[in-house]
Amino acid sequence: MQDDKNLSEVHIGDQKIIDNKELNLLESLIPVVILMCLLAYNIFFVEGQEWFGAYTNQYILIMGGIVAAVVGFFNKVSFATMVAEVWENWKSVFVPIMILFLVGALAGTWLVSGIIPAMVYYGLQVLSPEIFLPASVVIAAIISIATGSSWTTSATVGIALVGIGSALGIPTGMIAGAVISGAYFGDKMSPLSDTTNLAPAMAGTDLFTHIKYMSFTTVPTILVTLVVFAILSGTIDTSGSADISNLLASIDNTFHISLWLFLVPGIVIAMILMKTKPLIALGTGVVLAAVFAFIFQSDVLANLSDSKFEAIINSVLIDTNIETDNDKLSELFSSGGMNGMIWTILLITCAMIFGGVMDAIGALAKITKSLLSVATSVFGLFASTVVSCLGLNAIASDQYLALVIPGKMFKKAYEDKGLAPENLSRTLEDSGTVTSVLIPWNTCGAYQSSVLGVDVTDYFVYAIFNYLSPFTTLLFAALNIKIRQLVKK
């Protein structure tokens, strides 16, 4: 009988890292290599990326988990240990899954109530194509700093910006990249952000020292991002102002547009700023939108169903498509409700299976320790931290593990090199927090893709801030810029 005596655990708050002295590096990498090969084959060689149907990525993640479990069995890890760790992972994403369901309901009710159409209507008159992309970065950054949440930013202003930009003829991948760039800048720099609090806790520094030190790499990166989006805005071919009058007329003919509709998103954002729990804030947004739909959009509800109440319920649960006299707007004014979030929720669930088994068998700890062993120089230490965070975002499919595990494993190494802990906390955020959204099966990538309605492969190249951040932190390390030493007491 397996007794798991080969396993040891390190607890950090609610998180734990499992080490397995029976497991070697090659065995740890077997599930990772197989997973990456299967995903790569599906992406590059299967037409339509549906090797096993619509849920191919979910099946592949489960296959990776099965391979990891087999490796675990051969290294004296019991099935009960693996199940327990998968269950812990599932519990950690219960609230995000509930948020996803509510975001689906929010999108549906905000559509039939006229809130999203009103945002598009007024936004078309304010945001011109020439400044739209950099303006989207700034707007998303401001909201994210205020709320401390990139997820909330995408679920509110992000959805609106994608709608406005789409109506202007701007590619959705560019818009989503701009929103995500701004949202993750704000998420990193906000003292209200959970990751911004977690990173310094793992490294052993305080919150505001971490934010101040992080600004040295973060501010230049966002400035470069703004310049790139400003250039892109000047080169893209949009429908521009010539089509705006027709679009405005189509929206006005379909919906009752009123500034009163902005009361609902205003209340939701105010609740979030007052630190109301996201489930309560988003739930309030759904209920208020339903009420406003009855008040302002009686004709829209009547066209959707014989029963107005049934039309509201359908907007919460299933697909809703509102036809206009403009094909572009008809495509834009559609929502999947809660049903539209099922694919994403299953992806997150399967990712937690793979990540949980990998953690249970000690593979995550083994891979990170191996990276640490080759970090002989200061730059090598920074590079190993970056690679570890990137790898864990892909392997564990969770940005929190991408901060917790490297934070624990590398903390002493930074001290031994005479480096202040804010070097580690900054690197964790520059490479762990922001790159999570670039992985399709990571909880962040799956969420943002689903909420904004843009595939990760479409916005990846335009999420400029996110993929430049690790390079910026490595550049600073290579040139020895703002690498703070420990103060000898």
Side-chain angles (χ1 to χ4, degrees):
M1 177 170 299
Q2 297 169 319
D3 55 11
D4 295 338
K5 289 182 179 179
N6 53 309
L7 301 180
S8 60
E9 295 181 0
V10 177
H11 289 264
I12 311 167
D14 293 332
Q15 302 276 355
K16 69 174 180 288
I17 301 169
I18 298 177
D19 194 13
N20 184 356
K21 59 179 178 286
E22 296 284 340
L23 192 71
N24 61 45
L25 178 61
L26 181 60
E27 291 170 326
S28 299
L29 289 172
I30 289 173
V32 179
V33 172
I34 291 177
L35 176 71
M36 295 304 174
C37 288
L38 290 173
L39 289 169
Y41 180 80
N42 183 58
I43 292 170
F44 297 110
F45 297 102
V46 178
E47 185 177 351
Q49 297 182 23
E50 293 192 355
W51 191 4
F52 302 113
Y55 295 94
T56 295
N57 285 343
Q58 288 86 338
Y59 291 135
I60 290 175
L61 284 165
I62 292 175
M63 290 178 195
I66 293 171
V67 173
V70 172
V71 172
F73 287 136
F74 277 100
N75 286 275
K76 303 179 182 178
V77 182
S78 68
F79 181 72
T81 299
M82 298 181 206
V83 171
E85 193 60 27
V86 169
W87 175 243
E88 288 299 316
N89 276 18
W90 277 345
K91 287 197 297 184
S92 71
V93 297
F94 176 76
V95 171
I97 284 174
M98 292 299 101
I99 290 175
L100 273 172
F101 273 128
L102 278 177
V103 167
L106 197 76
T109 53
W110 282 24
L111 174 62
V112 298
S113 64
I115 295 171
I116 291 176
M119 289 178 174
V120 174
Y121 183 85
Y122 291 111
L124 284 171
Q125 300 174 67
V126 176
L127 292 171
S128 66
E130 292 77 18
I131 64 165
F132 184 84
L133 292 175
S136 296
V137 175
V138 173
I139 292 169
I142 292 171
I143 297 298
S144 194
I145 289 173
T147 62
S149 172
S150 56
W151 284 33
T152 301
T153 300
S154 296
T156 51
V157 299
I159 293 174
L161 288 169
V162 170
I164 296 166
S166 298
L168 288 170
I170 300 173
T172 55
M174 287 187 183
I175 307 165
V179 169
I180 288 169
S181 292
Y184 275 81
F185 167 80
D187 194 309
K188 278 182 66 179
M189 300 303 291
S190 174
L192 303 177
S193 168
D194 49 3
T195 56
T196 306
N197 282 273
L198 180 61
M202 293 300 98
T205 187
D206 66 272
L207 173 63
F208 290 102
T209 298
H210 165 64
I211 292 175
K212 179 181 178 181
Y213 198 64
M214 188 166 52
S215 66
F216 294 129
T217 55
T218 303
V219 172
T221 306
I222 197 65
L223 290 176
V224 171
T225 301
L226 285 169
V227 170
V228 173
F229 277 117
I231 294 172
L232 284 174
S233 292
T235 59
I236 56 178
D237 182 19
T238 69
S239 52
S241 58
D243 290 337
I244 287 180
S245 59
N246 293 331
L247 293 172
L248 295 178
S250 295
I251 296 172
D252 201 31
N253 290 336
T254 307
F255 298 91
H256 176 73
I257 301 299
S258 168
L259 288 173
W260 285 106
L261 293 168
F262 286 92
L263 188 60
V264 176
I267 290 173
V268 172
I269 292 174
M271 291 179 71
I272 292 168
L273 291 175
M274 291 187 293
K275 299 183 180 179
T276 306
K277 291 183 178 180
L279 290 175
I280 296 175
L282 294 174
T284 301
V286 172
V287 173
L288 289 176
V291 173
F292 273 51
F294 280 110
I295 297 172
F296 291 98
Q297 311 301 338
S298 180
D299 292 342
V300 172
L301 296 179
N303 290 332
L304 290 173
S305 175
D306 293 335
S307 167
K308 295 178 183 179
F309 181 76
E310 182 182 351
I312 292 290
I313 297 299
N314 287 342
S315 73
V316 171
L317 298 176
I318 60 175
D319 295 345
T320 299
N321 298 287
I322 298 177
E323 296 295 328
T324 72
D325 54 11
N326 184 290
D327 292 339
K328 186 185 295 184
L329 289 176
S330 296
E331 183 179 343
L332 177 62
F333 294 151
S334 62
S335 169
M338 288 186 176
N339 182 62
M341 295 295 168
I342 295 298
W343 189 94
T344 303
I345 289 168
L346 288 176
L347 183 68
I348 292 173
T349 302
C350 294
M352 291 300 99
I353 293 175
F354 178 73
V357 176
M358 286 290 288
D359 194 15
I361 68 176
L364 299 185
K366 186 67 66 176
I367 293 170
T368 306
K369 280 186 174 180
S370 299
L371 287 170
L372 180 57
S373 67
V374 299
T376 56
S377 64
V378 170
F379 177 78
L381 183 58
F382 278 86
S384 296
T385 308
V386 169
V387 172
S388 179
C389 290
L390 293 173
L392 283 165
N393 263 326
I395 298 168
S397 307
D398 182 77
Q399 70 171 347
Y400 298 106
L401 287 176
L403 298 179
V404 170
I405 295 177
K408 175 62 182 176
M409 298 297 180
F410 286 89
K411 182 177 179 181
K412 189 175 185 302
Y414 277 75
E415 293 175 356
D416 292 342
K417 293 287 186 184
L419 299 172
E422 47 266 35
N423 291 286
L424 174 57
S425 65
R426 181 179 73 185
T427 307
L428 291 175
E429 287 253 66
D430 283 344
S431 52
T433 299
V434 299
T435 60
S436 57
V437 73
L438 303 177
I439 310 296
W441 56 90
N442 187 287
T443 52
C444 294
Y447 174 88
Q448 297 288 353
S449 174
S450 182
V451 167
L452 296 175
V454 183
D455 194 81
V456 175
T457 55
D458 291 330
Y459 72 63
F460 183 97
V461 70
Y462 300 110
I464 298 163
F465 174 79
N466 301 72
Y467 62 73
L468 277 186
S469 290
F471 291 105
T472 304
T473 206
L474 288 177
L475 179 64
F476 273 56
L479 300 178
N480 198 30
I481 301 172
K482 295 298 179 181
I483 306 300
R484 184 171 295 173
Q485 304 297 309
L486 278 172
V487 178
K488 295 182 179 180
K489 298 182 179 179

